[in-house]
Amino acid sequence: MAADGALKTHDGSATSLTTFQESPNTLKTVVPPMDLVESGRRLCITLQDAPGWSDDINVVWYLRRMIQFILGQRAKDYKLMAGARALDEVAMCGQLRHSITACLYFITPHRLKKVDVIIMCALSQLVTVIPVLAKADTMTDEELAQYRQEVCEVLQDPSKVATSKALAPLSFNSYGFSKQVLGGLHGMDIAVDRLPLAVIGSRVTEQVTNPALLAALGLQQTDFQQPIRRYRWGAAYAFNHEHSDLLLLKRLLLGDKVGSLYALLDESYRRYVEFCQQYEDAGQQVPVLVQAIAAGC
C-alpha cells in the first residue's frame, strides 16, 4: 500500500521474461486481505504478472519457465505443510499460501494465434486457465460475438488448429463457472455464449462518481478511480458493463460470488494433492519434475 492508502499495482505493459525469472516478486500486486464472512477466514490475494510470448518465441523454452514457476510455488506449500495433504477441500480451503489458484490468460483481439492455443493447453494441465479477451473496445458487438465463438470452438478441439509433429496432441482442460453463479449476478447474469469475458484496461483513470457503480464495486469511498480509454468519438470505461466485462470478472473472482472463488480454491487444492505425489516420485526435485512434464508438452 502507498503512503496515501492507495493500492500499488504493477504496471505490466512491459514485463520481460528475464525479470520474471530473476525477480518475480517485483511483478506482484498484493491486494489488501479480504474477510470471508461465510467461512470466518481472511483471504490474502496476490496477483502475479507473467510475461507474454514474443514474435521470436521458443515455445518449449518459454513453457519450461512457466512450468518451473508454477511447480516451484507448489513446492513452497509442500515444504510449509511438510507434505501434508490428507485433509479435505473444506478444511484446506485457502490454506495454500503460494500455489497458483488460477491463470488469467489474456488473448489479443480479432485473431487467436496458434502459439496462444499451445500455451493455454499446456498450462491448463497444471493450473486452472481462464481465457480473457483483451481490448474489448476494439471490436464491434458482432465481431466480439464471432470471436468468442471462435475461441470456444478452438479450445474444445485445439488439435485442429495447432498440430505439430514435435508436440503431443493438444487438449485444453477447461474450467467452467457454475450456472448458478453465472445466473445469479443480479442484472449482470452471464449467458454461456458470453464467455470468455472481454475486458479493457488503461493506465489513464477517472474518478467514479456514480453511487450505484461504487456499490457494485463494494466500495464506500468516493475517491475511487477507474481505468478509461479516451477517443475522438468518446470514451470507454473499464467498469461500464456495456463497454467491458471487467466488473463481472471482478465479481466472479474477488467479489460477492464467493461460490466461484471457493470452487477455484478447491480445484487448486486438488491439483496440489496430485503434485505432492509427483514431487515425491521425483525425489522432491522441481527440475526433475519440470523435465518430465515438459517432455510431454
Side-chain angles (χ1 to χ4, degrees):
M1 299 287 286
D4 59 0
L7 176 65
K8 296 180 64 176
T9 59
H10 165 66
D11 179 2
S13 58
T15 302
S16 71
L17 187 56
T18 300
T19 302
F20 178 74
Q21 288 181 265
E22 297 178 352
S23 185
N25 286 341
T26 64
L27 306 177
K28 288 181 177 180
T29 296
V30 180
V31 179
M34 298 172 55
D35 292 322
L36 301 179
V37 180
E38 297 81 359
S39 61
R41 293 180 178 177
R42 172 165 287 189
L43 183 66
C44 298
I45 302 166
T46 298
L47 305 178
Q48 174 69 60
D49 184 31
W53 52 269
S54 59
D55 291 338
D56 59 347
I57 185 176
N58 180 323
V59 178
V60 175
W61 186 82
Y62 175 86
L63 282 174
R64 282 178 181 269
R65 305 287 81 75
M66 296 299 110
I67 292 171
Q68 182 173 346
F69 179 77
I70 293 171
L71 299 184
Q73 293 301 107
R74 287 197 180 129
K76 291 179 181 179
D77 280 326
Y78 180 93
K79 182 178 180 179
L80 185 66
M81 300 171 62
R85 69 265 198 185
L87 298 176
D88 61 20
E89 290 90 346
V90 175
M92 288 302 301
C93 181
Q95 297 301 307
L96 300 179
R97 298 185 182 181
H98 302 285
S99 297
I100 308 300
T101 303
C103 168
L104 295 178
Y105 193 100
F106 290 89
I107 304 172
T108 55
H110 297 290
R111 186 168 75 90
L112 180 62
K113 298 178 177 64
K114 176 180 177 180
V115 65
D116 282 318
V117 177
I118 293 173
I119 293 173
M120 281 192 289
C121 287
L123 294 180
S124 74
Q125 309 309 312
L126 297 175
V127 66
T128 296
V129 174
I130 302 175
V132 179
L133 305 183
K135 299 183 178 180
D137 54 322
T138 66
M139 293 178 281
T140 66
D141 289 346
E142 293 77 11
E143 290 170 340
L144 182 54
Q146 292 174 0
Y147 194 38
R148 279 187 169 124
Q149 182 178 355
E150 175 190 347
V151 171
C152 289
E153 290 177 352
V154 168
L155 292 181
Q156 287 175 0
D157 192 1
S159 292
K160 285 187 176 180
V161 296
T163 57
S164 172
K165 294 181 180 179
L167 297 171
L170 297 178
S171 64
F172 181 72
N173 192 358
S174 63
Y175 173 84
F177 294 102
S178 70
K179 292 182 178 179
Q180 291 82 356
V181 168
L182 297 179
L185 290 168
H186 308 295
M188 293 185 180
D189 294 0
I190 306 174
V192 175
D193 60 3
R194 191 167 174 172
L195 297 174
L197 298 178
V199 304
I200 64 174
S202 175
R203 285 171 292 187
V204 178
T205 62
E206 182 178 287
Q207 184 173 348
V208 176
T209 58
N210 185 339
L213 177 55
L214 288 170
L217 291 168
L219 300 173
Q220 301 296 327
Q221 70 267 34
T222 58
D223 59 347
F224 182 77
Q225 303 283 321
Q226 74 163 317
I228 177 176
R229 299 184 67 86
R230 294 189 177 93
Y231 300 92
R232 287 178 294 176
W233 47 262
Y237 293 87
F239 290 129
N240 186 319
H241 185 45
E242 295 182 354
H243 299 173
S244 167
D245 294 325
L246 187 57
L247 181 54
L248 285 171
L249 184 62
K250 184 249 182 201
R251 291 184 65 185
L252 287 173
L253 299 180
L254 304 175
D256 57 307
K257 305 311 295 181
V258 292
S260 60
L261 175 60
Y262 290 153
L264 286 170
L265 293 171
D266 289 346
E267 176 67 11
S268 177
Y269 180 63
R270 183 188 67 79
R271 291 177 183 267
Y272 166 77
V273 171
E274 293 178 354
F275 163 81
C276 288
Q277 186 61 55
Q278 296 171 344
Y279 188 49
E280 292 171 352
D281 292 343
Q284 298 185 22
Q285 297 294 317
V286 170
V288 175
L289 190 52
V290 170
Q291 177 66 27
I293 294 176
C297 292

